[in-house]
Amino acid sequence: MTIKTAKAHRVGMALLAFSIAAASHGQDNLTLEEIVVTAQKRPQSLQDVPLSVSALGGEKMDAAGLNNLEAVSTYVPNFSINQTGISTTISIRGISSGINQGFEQSVGMYVDGIYYGRAQLARAPLFDMERVEVLRGPQGILFGKNSIAGAVSQTSAKPSQDFESRITALYEPEHGEKDLRAVISGGLTDDLAGRLSVMKRDFDGYVDNTSTGKKEPAADEWLVRGQVRWDASDNLALGLKLEQSQFDVSGRNIEVIGDTAGETGVGLSTVYPIFSGGEALDADQNGKRQANGDTSENKTHNATLNIDYQWGEHQVTAITGLAGYEYDELCDCEYTGLNTFTLGLDEAYRQWSQELRIVSPVGEALEYIAGVFYQDSHLEFHDDFNVPTTSALTAVSSALAGYNSQRFFEQDSQLWAAFAQATYHVNDQWSLTLGGRYTTEQKTASRFSQSSTQAPNPDVIPGVTLLDLAENVLRAEPHSEAGKRDEDSFTPLINLQYQISDSAMLYATYTTGFKSGGFDVRSNASSDPAVGVPGAVTSALGQPPSPVGVFEFEEEEATSFELGAKTSLLDDRAELNAAVFRTEYDNLQVSIFDGGLGFNVGNAAAAISQGIELDGRLRASESLTFTAAIGYLDFEFTDYDNGECYFRQAEFEPDTVTNAALDMCSFDGKRQAYTPELTGSLITNYQHQFQGGLVLNADLDLIYSSEYLASPSLDPRLTQDAFVKVNARLALAATDGFWEIALVGKNLTDEAVLTYGAEVPTSATLVGAATGQQGLAYYGFYDRPRSIALQARLQF
């Protein structure tokens, strides 16, 4: 179980204090290794970048076994990635995109300079990286597209003329994890270098599916990346990267974690005793589930051509990118062993982009970056909702027997942008930076929905068929829509820096950001009120009115202020950085429950995200180094009247109900889900060289989070308590680096961490139909429990 909240708060606050206090025990003349980042599109020391950035090196990622961005996010304060039933949510400082395939992410993802805006790409394997940088706050100038909450920049390890090769193998017996990785890099000719990176990972899972007798989620992943770099002349260099990956998953890390039987007297367990998880609401996660099978098959591919030309003292860079993916999923989306419905989803996406920029030399009174950007993309999405003739839902209405609903969506997008950022060094202490980006985008889209039934389809009443009734019960109606939208935006930036000394810098930043509008993929109904199930269903059969859907939604906007400091201490043996921020978000794109099985997108929310972020490093001795970070987040919805009510909210908080018929409640004054007040990490590295040619390398990582709500409906029943995760690695290696063998432990205190939770779909409907009373069940995604793996590496 997780530790108590109060105790965890004390531990979290102590993370940074511990590393700073240790400074008094260090030795003299020890300096930290410089961290170089490209957060401003040119190599810079992290201490010279006037914004809140966290950077994680590839060596640390490999050592800690961080296989994807979700694992990386646990090490970075105010940054989280959470998988939901049919999507992935990426959040920085509490801002994220809702669950809709029409959304691009509020956190822009960039891989080797190429924009990855789709949520599914966050699940791709991560391997052989130089570093990952997390830039917090709107990044509207140099990164630009939709990076309204922040940006994640991933940089692959590059080819080198020096020969390098390594093979790494990992085996973890408890969950059946087998991971094999190989890298070879070196000069092919005097001016041509290449690099080949290959990985294969298999994982059996850690949740017992008692329906299938298998472990879940079982993963099968592989990645192949080939790169070449050609130094064509003293002034011209070209780099080409080709990459393909596949990550297939069978099952999910989902458990039904309780129902309302202990609260209201009825729940899903009292109606259908076979379902898994009929414990009280405060029941522990038990590592078991019942489900009829979930699968997710994913393929990604990308190609990047990078051309660098030294034009006098200026550098001109052209980056051409092709990227795409396909996935096919089958979701048993009521997450129990009941036979109710299945949902199939498939999506295909491709994009190509071109960026051209010029970077001035450093050291001049005026330094600048300017460029243009173009992107063309195409999206196809299809889902298939099916109710078998033997479904338990037929107890609600016989009209649902054999019901099928399919939805088809296509979208094309073309985007142009021009950007510039200039820094004028007024004198040795003061610098002023001004920047701006102008973006124009055109989108065209279409959505088509159709329904059918295997059962006979007679008229229930004149003009109203049985299929009409089924569509009304599920609040889904056949329709067809098409549209086109054009929008443009200008996002400015003003930054002022003051260099107090060679070891201390202060900065203040004002910037804005936006996320483009678009088209709703998953709305179940037409946006035209005239389209719908005949009104006689409402008047004669007592059914709710036919819903009005959504097809188009508008852009989000953000205004941000940040004050920060970058300092070096103790003769460069320590660093301490701080940032204080406040960002106001307007017209947030949110998914609003339609009262049935779907959600409608609307610009229906405003919020304020503010807080403090601290990070630092300390080299306490020649052998011992500490890295610490902590983030405090104060998040509040200031205008959100259309949130989904949690179960019995009308009883507990009657003043918050805004639309009882559609089960809508106000979120004003509340925190967003996945927004813990405090997050932090403490990374300790100890190295010791023995006589005889052996090196001991020990890492101890503490990952802290205060409590947070894990449900998009902000249901207090689905609260994750504060916790501290402990990861560790103990390695013994040859002094020359030829071999290394290590034990890698993750979540050593075996914390049961709930990353996402919600009501089991249709459970309230089934309980109500069977008993006439209120009751339902809940499900949750849980992180991996304790694991200890053996890792070995050979490096030639």
Side-chain angles (χ1 to χ4, degrees):
M1 282 293 293
T2 55
I3 64 177
K4 296 298 183 182
T5 302
K7 180 182 177 183
H9 265 289
R10 293 193 295 271
V11 173
M13 294 298 290
L15 294 181
L16 193 65
F18 173 68
S19 60
I20 295 174
S24 60
H25 301 291
Q27 301 175 12
D28 295 333
N29 301 320
L30 296 173
T31 59
L32 289 166
E33 182 179 351
E34 183 181 45
I35 297 177
V36 176
V37 297
T38 54
Q40 297 193 115
K41 300 294 185 180
R42 69 168 91 212
Q44 290 177 287
S45 169
L46 180 64
Q47 295 305 101
D48 294 333
V49 178
L51 54 92
S52 182
V53 183
S54 289
L56 208 61
E59 186 176 348
K60 174 60 183 177
M61 293 165 59
D62 288 342
L66 307 181
N67 299 313
N68 52 40
L69 272 183
E70 187 173 359
V72 170
S73 70
T74 62
Y75 280 76
V76 181
N78 289 340
F79 174 43
S80 66
I81 298 180
N82 305 84
Q83 291 192 32
T84 71
I86 57 174
S87 186
T88 299
T89 299
I90 309 171
S91 172
I92 288 181
R93 294 176 175 175
I95 294 296
S96 61
S97 295
I99 302 173
N100 192 293
Q101 280 75 9
F103 288 147
E104 293 186 68
Q105 290 298 304
S106 300
V107 177
M109 294 183 295
Y110 300 83
V111 179
D112 295 322
I114 305 300
Y115 173 68
Y116 282 15
R118 309 297 302 173
Q120 200 75 3
L121 292 169
R123 300 186 183 186
L126 210 57
F127 164 56
D128 193 27
M129 306 300 294
E130 183 176 310
R131 66 185 175 278
V132 173
E133 302 170 29
V134 180
L135 291 65
R136 291 177 285 252
Q139 304 297 320
I141 312 302
L142 300 180
F143 288 91
K145 183 167 170 56
N146 295 335
S147 304
I148 194 169
V152 179
S153 177
Q154 306 170 53
T155 303
S156 304
K158 297 296 186 288
S160 60
Q161 280 291 332
D162 294 334
F163 179 76
E164 168 193 355
S165 67
R166 67 176 183 272
I167 299 174
T168 305
L170 179 143
Y171 176 65
E172 192 278 328
E174 183 69 19
H175 307 137
E177 182 178 13
K178 298 177 285 291
D179 190 311
L180 183 63
R181 304 174 179 221
V183 175
I184 184 169
S185 180
L188 304 175
T189 67
D190 290 341
D191 53 20
L192 184 67
R195 189 180 189 95
L196 178 65
S197 310
V198 181
M199 70 155 286
K200 178 69 168 70
R201 177 176 180 264
D202 295 297
F203 182 67
D204 289 345
Y206 53 88
V207 178
D208 290 315
N209 188 332
T210 58
S211 296
T212 64
K214 297 180 179 179
K215 290 276 192 178
E216 299 181 359
D220 180 4
E221 304 175 356
W222 59 263
L223 178 148
V224 177
R225 179 191 303 137
Q227 299 180 78
V228 292
R229 178 180 173 85
W230 178 35
D231 294 316
S233 69
D234 291 340
N235 297 325
L236 179 64
L238 295 87
L240 176 65
K241 181 189 76 171
L242 301 175
E243 179 180 287
Q244 187 165 353
S245 71
Q246 183 168 328
F247 50 104
D248 299 337
V249 182
S250 177
R252 297 170 184 260
N253 51 320
I254 290 178
E255 297 181 34
V256 177
I257 53 178
D259 68 4
T260 56
E263 181 180 340
T264 65
V266 294
L268 196 59
S269 61
T270 59
V271 179
Y272 295 95
I274 65 167
F275 103 104
S276 172
E279 304 96 344
L281 280 174
D282 60 353
D284 296 344
Q285 166 254 5
N286 61 12
K288 298 181 184 298
R289 71 178 300 218
Q290 285 188 352
N292 297 320
D294 302 87
T295 59
S296 178
E297 298 178 353
N298 303 262
K299 296 179 181 179
T300 71
H301 55 273
N302 65 80
T304 304
L305 175 64
N306 190 301
I307 302 174
D308 289 315
Y309 179 68
Q310 197 68 32
W311 182 40
E313 294 185 334
H314 290 72
Q315 180 172 307
V316 178
T317 299
I319 303 177
T320 306
L322 298 172
Y325 65 83
E326 302 88 34
Y327 76 78
D328 195 334
E329 293 192 353
L330 179 64
C331 180
D332 183 17
C333 280
E334 39 77 26
Y335 308 125
T336 74
L338 292 175
N339 177 16
T340 54
F341 67 89
T342 59
L343 179 64
L345 307 97
D346 57 87
E347 184 176 336
Y349 175 79
R350 60 98 181 133
Q351 71 174 45
W352 80 269
S353 62
Q354 179 66 61
E355 181 171 329
L356 179 66
R357 65 174 181 264
I358 184 170
V359 179
S360 72
V362 297
E364 304 292 333
L366 181 67
E367 299 173 354
Y368 58 85
I369 301 173
V372 292
F373 175 81
Y374 174 76
Q375 179 176 294
D376 180 279
S377 65
H378 177 74
L379 170 69
E380 295 180 8
F381 175 81
H382 165 247
D383 63 4
D384 185 342
F385 177 85
N386 186 64
V387 180
T389 56
T390 56
S391 167
L393 285 176
T394 58
V396 178
S397 172
S398 61
L400 296 175
Y403 175 82
N404 174 267
S405 177
Q406 297 193 55
R407 177 170 28 212
F408 302 85
F409 180 88
E410 286 194 43
Q411 177 176 281
D412 288 288
S413 171
Q414 294 82 37
L415 177 143
W416 284 94
F419 59 91
Q421 180 170 301
T423 299
Y424 177 59
H425 299 286
V426 180
N427 53 41
D428 290 341
Q429 290 183 303
W430 290 96
S431 299
L432 175 66
T433 299
L434 301 177
R437 188 181 188 104
Y438 175 77
T439 303
T440 179
E441 185 170 16
Q442 181 182 90
K443 291 181 179 178
T444 57
S446 63
R447 186 180 71 210
F448 171 72
S449 176
Q450 63 183 19
S451 300
S452 63
T453 180
Q454 297 178 22
N457 190 29
D459 280 5
V460 181
I461 59 175
V464 179
T465 68
L466 198 63
L467 181 58
D468 293 333
L469 179 59
E471 291 164 352
N472 189 261
V473 169
L474 296 174
R475 303 187 68 75
E477 61 189 25
H479 64 277
S480 178
E481 305 222 26
K484 176 181 177 181
R485 61 178 287 115
D486 294 278
E487 64 185 20
D488 53 63
S489 178
F490 177 72
T491 51
L493 172 141
I494 303 173
N495 173 270
L496 185 64
Q497 300 176 54
Y498 177 63
Q499 196 72 37
I500 301 174
S501 66
D502 291 340
S503 58
M505 179 262 285
L506 302 177
Y507 68 89
T509 301
Y510 162 83
T511 188
T512 64
F514 91 105
K515 188 172 78 168
S516 59
F519 296 96
D520 188 341
V521 173
R522 296 195 55 81
S523 182
N524 282 335
S526 171
S527 60
D528 184 352
V531 177
V533 178
V537 173
T538 300
S539 60
L541 300 180
Q543 295 296 323
S546 190
V548 177
V550 169
F551 186 57
E552 187 173 349
F553 54 89
E554 302 302 319
E555 68 270 13
E556 291 181 0
E557 297 175 345
T559 303
S560 182
F561 303 88
E562 183 170 308
L563 300 174
K566 301 287 182 81
T567 65
S568 297
L569 308 168
L570 305 175
D571 295 325
D572 294 328
R573 284 175 44 218
E575 295 170 351
L576 180 61
N577 304 325
V580 180
F581 63 90
R582 176 184 172 93
T583 308
E584 299 177 2
Y585 291 90
D586 292 314
N587 299 318
L588 284 172
Q589 299 162 1
V590 296
S591 295
I592 303 168
F593 188 52
D594 68 3
L597 290 176
F599 290 82
N600 295 323
V601 175
N603 296 86
I608 294 176
S609 172
Q610 57 189 1
I612 302 171
E613 290 156 352
L614 300 172
D615 65 81
R617 294 190 296 156
L618 168 68
R619 190 168 183 185
S621 70
E622 187 175 355
S623 303
L624 184 62
T625 303
F626 298 99
T627 302
I630 192 164
Y632 166 76
L633 179 63
D634 177 19
F635 184 97
E636 180 183 355
F637 284 117
T638 57
D639 184 11
Y640 190 178
D641 290 335
N642 301 309
E644 179 188 356
C645 300
Y646 64 80
F647 180 60
R648 300 179 69 195
Q649 185 168 344
E651 299 176 49
F652 302 143
E653 301 180 67
D655 293 342
T656 65
V657 178
T658 56
N659 189 326
L662 295 181
D663 205 27
M664 292 180 179
C665 288
S666 171
F667 285 1
D668 288 2
K670 295 191 175 186
R671 298 180 71 91
Q672 171 70 291
Y674 330 120
T675 56
E677 191 174 65
L678 287 173
T679 50
S681 63
L682 174 61
I683 300 172
T684 304
N685 174 255
Y686 175 77
Q687 293 181 333
H688 179 74
Q689 184 165 340
F690 297 100
Q691 292 182 353
L694 294 179
V695 175
L696 175 70
N697 197 328
D699 294 278
L700 179 66
D701 304 340
L702 305 180
I703 311 296
Y704 168 74
S705 173
S706 62
E707 72 172 22
Y708 57 84
L709 295 171
S711 165
S713 66
L714 310 186
D715 192 328
R717 301 174 183 87
L718 295 170
T719 298
Q720 169 60 49
D721 290 337
F723 62 88
V724 174
K725 274 189 177 181
V726 179
N727 300 335
R729 184 176 189 269
L730 186 64
L732 193 65
T735 305
D736 60 6
F738 175 67
W739 62 267
E740 182 186 63
I741 188 166
L743 286 175
V744 181
K746 298 181 182 179
N747 193 13
L748 292 175
T749 50
D750 206 21
E751 299 289 339
V753 178
L754 177 66
T755 60
Y756 179 86
E759 300 174 4
V760 171
T762 73
S763 62
T765 302
L766 292 171
V767 172
T771 68
Q773 301 179 57
Q774 285 189 323
L776 47 78
Y778 292 91
Y779 74 92
F781 282 75
Y782 277 91
D783 266 354
R784 184 177 177 179
R786 176 173 48 234
S787 66
I788 300 176
L790 179 65
Q791 186 183 62
R793 183 178 67 185
L794 291 176
Q795 185 161 310
F796 305 96

